[in-house]
Amino acid sequence: MSDIAAPRSSSRARNLKGGGRNRSGQTNFELYSWLFMRLSGLALVVLVLGHLFTNLMLGDGINGLDFAFVAGKWASPLWQVWDLLMLWLAMLHGTNGMRTIINDYAEKDQTRFWLKALLLTASIVIVVLGTLVIFTFDPCLDPHSTLSVCQ
Amino acid sequence: MPSKPAGTLYRGREGMWSWVAHRITGVGIFFFLLVHVLDTALVRVSPEAYNEVIGTYKNPIVGLMEVGLVGAILFHAFNGIRLILVDFWAKGPRNQRKLMIGVGVVWVVLFVPFVARHLTHVFGG
């Protein structure tokens, strides 16, 4: 008696109750992903355009970029938080966009799997590396540094 | 997969091309971002290593590539805002053509001053 299959109604009720799944038995992952692209996109417009304006338009623009410029910016918690947020949001936004493109154009299951595995690996490496760089940055890495903070 | 579907209101119109351009600029920006995090990570190696690599970027060829990158970013940013308005603003879909023109106008207004200033830095030394 114990091996009678669960009636359809009970599994549907279980689905309706949640467990992160909607009525058709799928998760809402794609809905949240769609919403995330729009929310992170809005934030990135401000973060990226602000980043481009301060680095390329103000001062000497591209010619002013060097180690001392980075040290000067990351002396301020504002730019540390700015760059960290930009790194995480841009990488999540970009990785999710690439995932959509792989799903659209790679038709074989094997190809999709390996492309997504490669994408995920690259993204994790870049996010972890970038985060470590922001948190462990040392303006006085060079013991003979002439930067004013190191005197 | 049908190789040549019948023409639709959407296919081949500005809505399709902005979608294509959004994908292409998105992929380009993503690959740039991977490289950009790697080159910035050189600040943890040594000031010299970072300055040397950034120094190789300060030439007219890379300068022009940066113009392309910023053009792509500006398009992706404002076309993205157009997408959000079409999705969430009740009058968005009805005004989609005007929104498209708006993207073009904002793009030109921001891109032209950038190009002028950036090329002054690149070629002015």
Side-chain angles (χ1 to χ4, degrees):
Chain A
M1 294 303 243
S2 61
D3 55 351
I4 291 175
R8 188 175 291 207
S9 60
S10 90
S11 81
R12 184 162 180 271
R14 193 171 61 236
N15 286 340
L16 285 172
K17 249 188 267 168
R21 279 162 199 278
N22 62 21
R23 213 176 293 196
S24 51
Q26 294 164 322
T27 65
N28 288 326
F29 179 78
E30 292 301 337
L31 171 68
Y32 294 128
S33 140
W34 175 88
L35 192 60
F36 171 79
M37 291 310 263
R38 277 136 189 88
L39 294 175
S40 62
L42 272 185
L44 282 165
V45 171
V46 176
L47 292 168
V48 173
L49 297 194
H51 174 74
L52 289 172
F53 187 78
T54 46
N55 290 21
L56 295 179
M57 295 289 276
L58 296 181
D60 295 326
I62 183 83
N63 297 328
L65 301 187
D66 58 8
F67 184 86
F69 178 86
V70 178
K73 267 185 103 179
W74 283 348
S76 147
L78 170 78
W79 286 115
Q80 290 179 338
V81 172
W82 188 292
D83 288 353
L84 192 69
L85 258 179
M86 188 164 58
L87 171 74
W88 278 77
L89 289 179
M91 283 305 295
L92 284 170
H93 187 103
T95 303
N96 197 35
M98 293 296 287
R99 181 184 70 88
T100 305
I101 290 177
I102 293 171
N103 280 338
D104 277 358
Y105 299 115
E107 291 179 18
K108 282 190 208 143
D109 282 350
Q110 281 260 324
T111 317
R112 290 150 84 97
F113 174 81
W114 286 111
L115 283 177
K116 284 191 216 172
L118 180 68
L119 173 68
L120 192 65
T121 310
S123 298
I124 290 173
V125 168
I126 293 293
V127 168
V128 170
L129 177 70
T131 304
L132 283 175
V133 167
I134 294 173
F135 277 107
T136 67
F137 178 70
D138 173 13
C140 307
L141 183 61
D142 175 2
H144 308 295
S145 172
T146 52
L147 296 178
S148 58
V149 284
C150 311
Q151 302 297 312
Chain B
M1 201 169 103
S3 58
K4 210 176 176 200
T8 66
L9 281 175
Y10 187 75
R11 191 176 164 85
R13 299 286 296 265
E14 66 276 7
M16 183 187 109
W17 292 114
S18 65
W19 173 84
V20 169
H22 202 75
R23 293 210 148 180
I24 294 174
T25 51
V27 172
I29 296 163
F30 181 74
F31 283 112
F32 163 76
L33 178 58
L34 300 184
V35 176
H36 186 49
V37 173
L38 291 176
D39 65 41
T40 305
L42 289 172
V43 296
R44 283 303 287 132
V45 176
S46 75
E48 291 75 27
Y50 180 76
N51 289 344
E52 198 178 315
V53 169
I54 295 299
T56 63
Y57 293 171
K58 295 173 185 169
N59 68 67
I61 294 167
V62 181
L64 289 173
M65 286 166 69
E66 282 153 359
V67 168
L69 173 72
V70 171
I73 289 172
L74 288 175
F75 170 79
H76 198 89
F78 293 100
N79 191 56
I81 290 178
R82 181 187 67 84
L83 278 173
I84 293 172
L85 288 173
V86 169
D87 284 347
F88 289 105
W89 181 36
K91 292 178 185 170
R94 216 183 314 152
N95 290 302
Q96 65 92 14
R97 242 197 121 77
K98 284 179 196 156
L99 288 173
M100 200 85 74
I101 294 165
V103 172
V105 171
V106 175
W107 187 82
V108 170
V109 165
L110 294 179
F111 190 54
V112 170
F114 167 76
V115 174
R117 181 144 176 85
H118 189 60
L119 291 186
T120 309
H121 290 137
V122 171
F123 292 100

PDB file of all heavy atoms in Angstrom, chain B residues 16 82-83 112:
ATOM      1  N   MET B  16      14.939  45.536 -34.223  1.00  0.00           N
ATOM      2  CA  MET B  16      15.831  44.392 -34.346  1.00  0.00           C
ATOM      3  C   MET B  16      17.292  44.839 -34.330  1.00  0.00           C
ATOM      4  O   MET B  16      18.125  44.229 -33.652  1.00  0.00           O
ATOM      5  CB  MET B  16      15.547  43.640 -35.649  1.00  0.00           C
ATOM      6  CG  MET B  16      16.408  42.399 -35.792  1.00  0.00           C
ATOM      7  SD  MET B  16      16.250  41.606 -37.390  1.00  0.00           S
ATOM      8  CE  MET B  16      17.809  41.984 -38.123  1.00  0.00           C
ATOM      9  N   ARG B  82      16.360  52.778 -22.523  1.00  0.00           N
ATOM     10  CA  ARG B  82      15.197  52.709 -23.423  1.00  0.00           C
ATOM     11  C   ARG B  82      14.430  51.392 -23.211  1.00  0.00           C
ATOM     12  O   ARG B  82      13.204  51.389 -23.105  1.00  0.00           O
ATOM     13  CB  ARG B  82      15.665  52.792 -24.883  1.00  0.00           C
ATOM     14  CG  ARG B  82      14.532  52.762 -25.899  1.00  0.00           C
ATOM     15  CD  ARG B  82      15.040  52.680 -27.322  1.00  0.00           C
ATOM     16  NE  ARG B  82      15.702  51.418 -27.619  1.00  0.00           N
ATOM     17  CZ  ARG B  82      15.071  50.298 -27.977  1.00  0.00           C
ATOM     18  NH1 ARG B  82      13.772  50.285 -28.093  1.00  0.00           N
ATOM     19  NH2 ARG B  82      15.747  49.193 -28.203  1.00  0.00           N
ATOM     20  N   LEU B  83      15.203  50.284 -23.085  1.00  0.00           N
ATOM     21  CA  LEU B  83      14.574  48.981 -22.827  1.00  0.00           C
ATOM     22  C   LEU B  83      13.759  48.998 -21.549  1.00  0.00           C
ATOM     23  O   LEU B  83      12.639  48.486 -21.500  1.00  0.00           O
ATOM     24  CB  LEU B  83      15.666  47.920 -22.650  1.00  0.00           C
ATOM     25  CG  LEU B  83      16.294  47.297 -23.876  1.00  0.00           C
ATOM     26  CD1 LEU B  83      17.459  46.424 -23.470  1.00  0.00           C
ATOM     27  CD2 LEU B  83      15.241  46.470 -24.565  1.00  0.00           C
ATOM     28  N   VAL B 112      30.357  63.204 -28.554  1.00  0.00           N
ATOM     29  CA  VAL B 112      31.149  64.210 -29.266  1.00  0.00           C
ATOM     30  C   VAL B 112      32.120  64.944 -28.319  1.00  0.00           C
ATOM     31  O   VAL B 112      33.323  65.004 -28.607  1.00  0.00           O
ATOM     32  CB  VAL B 112      30.234  65.186 -30.059  1.00  0.00           C
ATOM     33  CG1 VAL B 112      31.029  66.367 -30.599  1.00  0.00           C
ATOM     34  CG2 VAL B 112      29.545  64.431 -31.199  1.00  0.00           C
TER      35      VAL B 112
END
